[in-house]
Amino acid sequence: MIRLARIAGIAAGVSVGLALLLVLLLPRWVATPSWINDEPTASIVILDRQGDRLAEIPAAPGVHRESASIVECDSLLIRATLAAEDRRFERHPGVDPIALARAVLRSLRDGGSIRGASTITMQTVRLARGAPGGLLDRLREIAWSLVLDAHWSKSRILESYLNRAPYGRGITGVAAASRYWLGKPPAVLSPAEAALLAALPSAPSRLDPARHPARAREARNRVLARMERLGWISAEDSRRARAANLEIEARSRVHRAPHFAAWIEETARESPGGIARIRTTLQPAIQAIAEQALSRRVRALRHRRIAGGAVVVLDSRNAELLAMVGSPDWRSPEAGQFNAALAPRQPGSAVKPFTYAVAFAESLRPSTILADVPVSYEGPGGSFAPRNYSGKFAGPVPARLALANSWNVPAVEVLRRADPAAVAAGFQSLGLEIDDPSRLGLGLTLGAGEVSLLDLAAAYATLARGGLWIAPKAIEEIEDPDGRVRPGPPQARREALDAISCSWVNEILSDPSARGDAFYRDGPLEMAGPVAAKTGTSSDWRDAWAIFYTTRHTVAVWMGNPDGTPTDEVTGAQGPAFVAREILEAAEGADPAAPFPVPDGVERRPVCPVSGGAAGPDCANADFEPFRVGDPPLEPCDAHRAYRIDVTNGLLARACTPSELVRRRVFVELSERFAFWQSDEGIAPVPQEATLCRCGRPGCRILDGDRSLAPRARVTKVAILRPAAGTVLAIDPTIPPLQQQLALEASAPAGSLLRWKIDGREIGRTRAAHRLYWSPAAGRHEIVVEILQGGSGSDATVLTVLEADDRS
């Protein structure tokens, strides 16, 4: 009997020893499963250039995960988590035998399943494998927990748990939870904050702090009480923390710069390789100013039927994107989440500088005289008659003034000189991808195509840096889940424009006096320091633009309506210019940018601003304009000529006119194409020569017997000059009639009064320069002009007008 008892004792001892050996040694012989190493995909965090969080790209729809190392978690959070979930974590081998025994006894007593014995290690296994479905799964969970504890350090197990634990509302990981519920990273937490986060994984939905604050506070206080009993916080700290209010933020996931963040998200999803963090080029201070300035200006112009806007700010030196605003209010139900900064729209005059830049690389110079007069171009689609925004014409103007004042007629002349195909190629080199520019014809330089605000800003930044186009850069660096950092996508670069041409455009657009005819001084386009500015307005008032740039910053602003409806005639100078100036002033600060550089190979020459020739002694004013070294010498001015005038009659003096009756006077002689403008402006033509000479005494006349001079022939008939008989004109129904007016012109005796009729109905009368504007309608029209005063006679012509869609 004694021997049997001894044998039984030995057997029991061996059994216990084998069991202990199995628990302690066997797990070390079993490798950890692959699934435990597969960390859940974390959300991608988007940072600004300073490393502060902008937004988060969800790991999956409705799921937000963020990983953090154990050293990034406050020690209070670690202690709170252990107090809430597993206070003997540091001492057990992955399974807590005491808690497990209690759970088994409770199950046998109550007749239920085994609950309440899960350690942090077991929960980590469960979060990786999924919840157990029965007793067998529960035993597997225990076994894998022993294996995991045998191979991983306690810190690694706890870190894995904290990065996998659920915290409600699709939030996974303590880092994401801390930012969402508390608005801060988990590195520095108060006892109350740490206890709240530690309590949530046990019942994330039931303890939702926003929906069930009382339950969440009660759970938080239980964790604090446990921490006090375990001696992990003092009684005083515990008391204060339990008395604290439940301060949560429950932040919306609409973060800063939402349009920019959404754009980066699209780029990130196309990027190969894993991504944990993206550090962007966005400058938060400039972004905030841009959002505020745009929102204020749109609100101020609500009564002008304008609801949308966008802003892009680039570093002029390297094309880094410093700010992007896609709408005045992301939360607005009226297309608030539509990113207008990337949408193609008609730029109006905002693209004119690039036409001039292309032409400056050829024969055009800032002093070249262009004709700002009524003109009509015939093409396959009919007649095209550009007009200026003001409805007036400036006559002979240097290219400098034509660009600075954004006059349309000279811009079309520049396009024709440079060749539309060459200008279209220049636009493409600048990144302005206009769909089929050949169909636009001469309207290319007036902004009839479509470009995005981002592309337009990049093109202007090219001017600022002297012709080198650089693709905009938004991503500085990318960090993968393993902590490896790689640079963002490379930037494409190409020489798009000539450096001298760029310097001339920059000089013109930064000269307030040059644009004084179209833009009043001390207006929204003027700033301290060397700032270039250009506006644009589409012909149908749907789009208004302004671009301000220096050698440091390029600010581009668009305003309009996302649905394309017209505004109440809001121009670029009335809306976007105020926004662009405010942003640039803030970005530049008190230290103005350096002046635009002037490259080598430029010299200045005195030029007559009326003829474009070399200024002579009779030119009242001379401008010192830039030329390329090596340009041929200028021809002398041929517009200013001095004549001997007979003071008694104001006519040209004759050889026999006494010298005491002769005065020298300079007249402006222009070509025939400026005749109407000269007459409108009241510029006196060169008078006729006198038929008699005066001797200087009263009643004394001397006949000139040397030669017989008849007075100049006078016009005695009326004749329609434009439109020519049989002209076919196409009109575009999508463009307002005032933007498609036809110039009716006639020659008639000086001082006569003419009456114009169309289809038998009088539409107006003219005197002096006989020109009238008319908005044609589709159909066949008879145009008649007749003299009412100063002579007699009439003339008629026939014009056919088609709708654009009816052209064959």
Side-chain angles (χ1 to χ4, degrees):
M1 183 69 70
I2 296 172
R3 182 177 294 179
L4 288 174
R6 185 177 298 166
I7 292 172
I10 293 171
V14 170
S15 299
V16 172
L18 289 174
L20 289 173
L21 183 67
L22 182 68
V23 170
L24 296 175
L25 298 181
L26 184 60
R28 297 186 182 276
W29 300 339
V30 179
T32 57
S34 59
W35 44 261
I36 197 65
N37 293 305
D38 295 335
E39 290 287 339
T41 303
S43 302
I44 298 174
V45 178
I46 301 175
L47 310 173
D48 62 27
R49 71 188 302 116
Q50 297 173 353
D52 295 328
R53 174 182 295 251
L54 277 178
E56 175 187 330
I57 303 174
V63 177
H64 295 260
R65 295 190 182 104
E66 185 176 348
S67 297
S69 67
I70 197 70
V71 297
E72 294 176 297
C73 297
D74 194 300
S75 59
L76 275 173
L77 174 63
I78 294 173
R79 290 197 294 270
T81 301
L82 297 180
E85 301 291 342
D86 189 357
R87 61 189 177 90
R88 285 183 288 273
F89 174 71
E90 296 289 349
R91 301 194 297 275
H92 61 65
V95 177
D96 187 344
I98 298 175
L100 185 59
R102 288 175 179 169
V104 170
L105 291 174
R106 190 184 307 113
S107 173
L108 293 174
R109 184 187 64 204
D110 299 338
S113 58
I114 300 174
R115 293 182 180 180
S118 294
T119 63
I120 284 178
T121 311
M122 294 170 66
Q123 291 186 59
T124 302
V125 171
R126 186 182 308 156
L127 291 169
R129 291 183 68 243
L135 179 60
L136 186 59
D137 279 343
R138 187 77 170 186
L139 292 175
R140 288 195 186 102
E141 179 183 291
I142 292 172
W144 283 122
S145 298
L146 295 171
V147 171
L148 186 62
D149 191 270
H151 286 272
W152 281 13
S153 68
K154 293 292 185 178
S155 293
R156 187 177 179 187
I157 295 172
L158 181 58
E159 180 180 295
S160 181
Y161 168 78
L162 290 172
N163 287 329
R164 296 175 185 270
Y167 290 85
R169 301 197 181 189
I171 300 167
T172 301
V174 73
S178 183
R179 293 185 189 279
Y180 181 79
W181 291 115
L182 306 175
K184 58 166 59 172
V188 182
L189 301 175
S190 69
E193 292 169 337
L196 174 65
L197 292 179
L200 290 179
S202 63
S205 298
R206 194 175 67 84
L207 299 180
D208 185 305
R211 297 191 180 100
H212 309 294
R215 294 177 188 171
R217 181 174 180 176
E218 183 180 349
R220 178 200 70 180
N221 290 349
R222 283 198 299 269
V223 174
L224 289 167
R226 288 181 190 173
M227 293 175 70
E228 180 185 351
R229 287 197 302 271
L230 292 168
W232 291 347
I233 59 172
S234 68
E236 179 61 22
D237 287 343
S238 176
R239 185 190 62 78
R240 282 201 300 264
R242 281 179 284 159
N245 293 326
L246 196 67
E247 296 180 355
I248 60 171
E249 291 200 9
R251 288 186 168 185
S252 166
R253 293 193 178 105
V254 177
H255 298 282
R256 295 181 296 149
H259 297 95
F260 174 78
W263 180 52
I264 293 296
E265 178 177 346
E266 292 180 14
T267 305
R269 295 194 185 282
E270 298 171 359
S271 177
I275 299 175
R277 289 179 175 84
I278 299 175
R279 188 164 67 85
T280 68
T281 60
L282 196 87
Q283 173 57 259
I286 297 178
Q287 174 73 22
I289 292 167
E291 292 173 354
Q292 295 164 9
L294 178 66
S295 180
R296 276 195 301 269
R297 194 60 187 163
V298 169
R299 286 198 303 269
L301 293 174
R302 283 283 185 183
H303 67 288
R304 301 282 297 275
R305 296 202 304 271
I306 196 165
V311 177
V312 167
V313 183
L314 296 177
D315 188 318
S316 299
R317 296 160 293 192
N318 51 28
E320 289 186 352
L321 187 59
L322 304 180
M324 174 186 281
V325 185
S327 74
D329 182 5
W330 169 271
R331 295 174 177 82
S332 172
E334 299 177 1
Q337 298 180 24
F338 175 72
N339 192 346
L342 304 177
R345 306 293 294 241
Q346 283 194 344
S349 297
V351 295
K352 285 178 185 172
F354 309 116
T355 300
Y356 282 82
V358 172
F360 283 154
E362 302 299 330
S363 60
L364 192 77
R365 300 292 177 262
S367 60
T368 302
I369 297 301
L370 305 171
D372 186 26
V373 295
V375 64
S376 179
Y377 297 102
E378 303 298 327
S383 297
F384 171 57
R387 292 189 64 194
N388 294 323
Y389 168 74
S390 65
K392 300 178 181 178
F393 296 92
V397 292
R400 166 188 295 279
L401 297 185
L403 172 56
N405 291 283
S406 198
W407 288 321
N408 287 337
V409 178
V412 174
E413 182 182 346
V414 171
L415 178 66
R416 296 188 70 200
R417 287 191 181 202
D419 179 38
V423 173
F427 279 27
Q428 185 174 15
S429 183
L430 285 162
L432 301 176
E433 300 290 345
I434 296 176
D435 183 33
D436 190 13
S438 61
R439 69 180 173 83
L440 303 176
L442 299 178
L444 175 65
T445 191
L446 303 182
E450 292 184 335
V451 300
S452 74
L453 185 66
L454 179 60
D455 288 344
L456 190 64
Y460 272 92
T462 302
L463 292 173
R465 72 176 72 94
L468 176 64
W469 178 84
I470 305 177
K473 176 181 180 180
I475 298 177
E476 187 68 40
E477 62 184 27
I478 299 172
E479 180 182 339
D480 65 21
D482 295 327
R484 293 187 296 268
V485 177
R486 63 182 186 269
Q491 292 175 273
R493 298 166 180 258
R494 56 177 171 264
E495 292 291 343
L497 293 174
D498 172 69
I500 292 179
S501 300
C502 290
S503 73
W504 290 347
V505 173
N506 296 338
E507 178 186 336
I508 292 169
L509 296 183
S510 60
D511 182 1
S513 61
R515 58 173 172 260
D517 287 341
F519 303 92
Y520 57 90
R521 294 301 307 270
D522 300 322
L525 270 62
E526 289 197 31
M527 287 179 58
V531 177
K534 185 71 185 75
T535 62
T537 309
S538 63
S539 60
D540 50 9
W541 309 105
R542 298 175 192 271
D543 305 285
W545 310 71
I547 303 90
F548 283 50
Y549 66 98
T550 68
T551 53
R552 282 202 303 238
H553 297 96
T554 298
V555 180
V557 181
W558 168 85
M559 291 178 69
N561 292 305
D563 61 0
T565 55
T567 68
D568 186 10
E569 300 187 2
V570 175
T571 67
Q574 294 168 338
F578 288 90
V579 180
R581 186 178 67 175
E582 180 178 347
I583 297 169
L584 187 60
E585 284 177 341
E588 292 286 301
D591 182 24
F596 293 106
V598 178
D600 295 334
V602 176
E603 64 181 12
R604 292 189 176 271
R605 304 177 186 178
V607 179
C608 173
V610 176
S611 68
D618 292 327
C619 297
N621 299 297
D623 295 331
F624 282 81
E625 293 285 3
F627 290 82
R628 295 174 186 268
V629 173
D631 279 348
L634 294 174
E635 294 292 331
C637 171
D638 60 358
H640 295 96
R641 293 186 61 183
Y643 288 90
R644 298 170 66 250
I645 300 298
D646 185 335
V647 296
T648 62
N649 54 28
L651 301 177
L652 294 180
R654 305 188 61 176
C656 59
T657 303
S659 59
E660 66 270 17
L661 300 181
V662 175
R663 297 289 184 272
R664 186 178 185 276
R665 183 179 171 189
V666 177
F667 287 85
V668 176
E669 292 186 294
L670 301 174
S671 61
E672 180 63 27
R673 63 177 177 169
F674 297 117
F676 277 109
W677 174 82
Q678 190 166 357
S679 175
D680 287 348
E681 294 296 312
I683 300 176
V686 178
Q688 296 181 350
E689 191 174 25
T691 57
L692 298 174
C693 290
R694 298 181 183 274
C695 63
R697 297 188 302 274
C700 176
R701 293 187 177 185
I702 302 176
L703 292 178
D704 184 353
D706 296 337
R707 55 194 174 97
S708 175
L709 293 174
R712 293 184 179 181
R714 297 182 61 195
V715 177
T716 57
K717 296 182 179 179
V718 62
I720 294 178
L721 301 178
R722 291 188 182 87
T727 295
V728 177
L729 175 69
I731 60 173
D732 188 340
T734 66
I735 298 177
L738 288 177
Q739 299 295 324
Q740 301 187 85
Q741 290 186 321
L742 180 67
L744 310 178
E745 299 177 13
S747 62
S752 59
L753 176 65
L754 304 187
R755 176 167 58 195
W756 293 84
K757 293 181 179 180
I758 294 183
D759 300 331
R761 183 175 62 86
E762 180 177 338
I763 64 167
R765 301 185 181 192
T766 59
R767 190 184 290 277
H770 298 295
R771 181 171 63 249
L772 192 68
Y773 291 101
W774 169 61
S775 297
R780 185 176 182 275
H781 303 284
E782 182 183 39
I783 303 172
V784 175
V785 64
E786 55 189 22
I787 298 178
L788 296 181
Q789 296 176 5
S792 62
S794 65
D795 192 16
T797 188
V798 174
L799 170 73
T800 301
V801 181
L802 303 176
E803 293 279 0
D805 295 338
D806 295 335
R807 287 178 290 180
S808 59

